Amino acid sequence: MGDDIRALSAQLAQDPQSLVFLRLGEALRRKGQLDAALRVAVNGLERHPHLADAHDLYARILTDKRDYERAFDEWDMAVRIAPHHTGALKGLAFLYFKVGDLEQAEAHLEQARKVEPDDASIDQAIAMMRKGAAPPAPTAPTAALDEARVFAGLEGANEGLLLIDGAGRVLGGALKDKAGADVTDTVAAYLAGVSQEAARTAKLVGLGAWMGLSAEGQHGNVHLAHPTPDALLLVVRERGMPLGRLAILAQRATAMARRWLEKQ
Amino acid sequence: MSKALDLITRVRGVRGAMLVSAEDGLVVAEQLMEGIKGGAVAALAASLAGRLRRAMEAAGTGTSVF
């Protein structure tokens, strides 16, 4: 855990705009370093005031510090930004239970269950609450916090898939070169604005909206796609993978990225 | 050069072809459908290809050969 915190701190220092503050804040919170976690969350919120996950993180830390009133405000804000944010819905349910408003607590858990019907922890929380026991305090939605988890389960999620926003900021995935060096940020910087250029080029030649772009390299092939108008997805694979198969893999990654982005 | 582009555009489904200088995005030769702004397309295509080439080199796939 200590090593994790050091590594995450270094990553954040290198790229203060990165969403890695979510993971660092949560790691510090879990370790009980609440003041440090709070500083990380507040700094992150200053940079990303409209990020529901940032408000969710801040609320969790405030809950650990027993500052329930402000925690309520933060989870409330998270739900206003992202009405289907299950972490915030569960958080609000936990706080409603704390003040004895069981009706509201259950209503929020039911709302969370509609969003994630397969989440067993929600059923468990409802059952506990009906028995009069407090539902467990909400924990971080780890899948949303780990940037590499956008493509969880997809082949090469940590070394051959990259999701960036229009400004070239890394949203998920990672890239490594042949020597195993992390080249994620370098590649992301080169690709900033590519989605917009591809859209304008396709429009000028009368092709309509662009769907994807494949290129063959001497040692590998790449495919570009855009899950949303601003975001850009890059899939990198070895030369042996045919471009058609690469496009199919990119389609699957695009769908995953789109779902992930919609949850943010 | 125009003969080469002519051969490309004879392929079914190909709407046009152009050769663009990667360095400055200027049109070297073109055979495009009427109404397409060749100069603008060339500038954008060159920029796009340049970014992609640099990204691919950084990612270790080598220079793009398309």
Side-chain angles (χ1 to χ4, degrees):
Chain A
M1 179 68 89
D3 286 345
D4 274 0
I5 288 173
R6 267 193 293 277
L8 293 171
S9 300
Q11 245 178 291
L12 187 60
Q14 207 172 22
D15 181 9
Q17 282 292 343
S18 150
L19 298 184
V20 79
F21 79 90
L22 294 170
R23 289 157 65 193
L24 177 60
E26 178 63 13
L28 288 165
R29 184 187 78 87
R30 287 188 183 195
K31 220 184 166 199
Q33 296 180 14
L34 297 181
D35 289 333
L38 203 69
R39 278 195 297 276
V40 169
V42 169
N43 285 337
L45 265 172
E46 279 172 9
R47 291 176 190 275
H48 306 276
H50 305 298
L51 184 66
D53 278 344
H55 290 279
D56 181 39
L57 168 68
Y58 191 28
R60 267 181 276 122
I61 298 164
L62 290 169
T63 301
D64 285 0
K65 288 176 88 72
R66 298 180 192 281
D67 187 346
Y68 299 129
E69 209 174 307
R70 283 165 68 200
F72 184 92
D73 290 343
E74 290 304 317
W75 270 320
D76 185 53
M77 180 60 79
V79 169
R80 282 170 199 269
I81 296 168
H84 299 309
H85 197 292
T86 49
L89 289 169
K90 285 194 262 184
L92 287 171
F94 174 76
L95 293 180
Y96 274 121
F97 183 87
K98 281 249 169 218
V99 296
D101 191 339
L102 301 186
E103 204 177 312
Q104 277 293 334
E106 190 163 340
H108 280 79
L109 284 174
E110 286 293 354
Q111 226 176 311
R113 182 152 65 177
K114 276 184 197 160
V115 181
E116 284 184 26
D118 298 331
D119 186 343
S121 73
I122 299 173
D123 292 332
Q124 200 185 351
I126 292 174
M128 283 173 74
M129 210 182 59
R130 283 178 181 162
K131 283 182 194 165
T139 53
T142 48
L145 291 180
D146 186 345
E147 291 169 36
R149 295 291 299 273
V150 185
F151 307 112
L154 208 59
E155 184 196 340
N158 296 318
E159 50 195 41
L161 287 163
L162 179 62
L163 179 68
I164 64 169
D165 68 10
R169 278 189 293 262
V170 178
L171 300 176
L175 284 180
K176 286 181 181 166
D177 66 10
K178 294 270 177 203
D182 191 322
V183 293
T184 308
D185 291 329
T186 315
V187 174
Y190 284 135
L191 292 177
V194 157
S195 187
Q196 292 86 341
E197 278 185 359
R200 287 173 65 198
T201 309
K203 195 178 169 190
L204 277 172
V205 293
L207 293 177
W210 80 286
M211 308 289 284
L213 178 64
S214 294
E216 291 180 306
Q218 292 158 320
H219 311 297
N221 296 337
V222 302
H223 186 93
L224 285 171
H226 63 130
T228 65
D230 290 328
L232 184 76
L233 172 78
L234 174 72
V235 186
V236 181
R237 285 296 181 271
E238 71 276 11
R239 189 96 167 87
M241 183 181 278
L243 288 181
R245 206 174 135 210
L246 188 61
I248 291 169
L249 177 65
Q251 265 179 3
R252 287 175 56 201
T254 301
M256 289 176 92
R258 193 173 293 132
R259 278 198 298 273
W260 185 83
L261 286 165
E262 281 167 1
K263 281 187 185 173
Q264 301 309 301
Chain B
M1 189 55 65
S2 65
K3 197 175 174 186
L5 292 183
D6 189 43
L7 283 172
I8 294 170
T9 49
R10 278 169 195 247
V11 176
R12 183 187 283 191
V14 174
R15 298 186 186 185
M18 70 194 310
L19 185 68
V20 178
S21 159
E23 281 196 6
D24 49 22
L26 292 176
V27 180
V28 178
E30 66 172 294
Q31 232 179 69
L32 297 170
M33 288 189 305
E34 245 177 71
I36 291 179
K37 296 173 183 169
V41 173
L44 279 167
S47 169
L48 195 57
R51 283 168 189 267
L52 194 55
R53 178 178 51 77
R54 287 192 290 273
M56 287 177 72
E57 283 170 357
T61 62
T63 311
S64 52
V65 289
F66 291 97

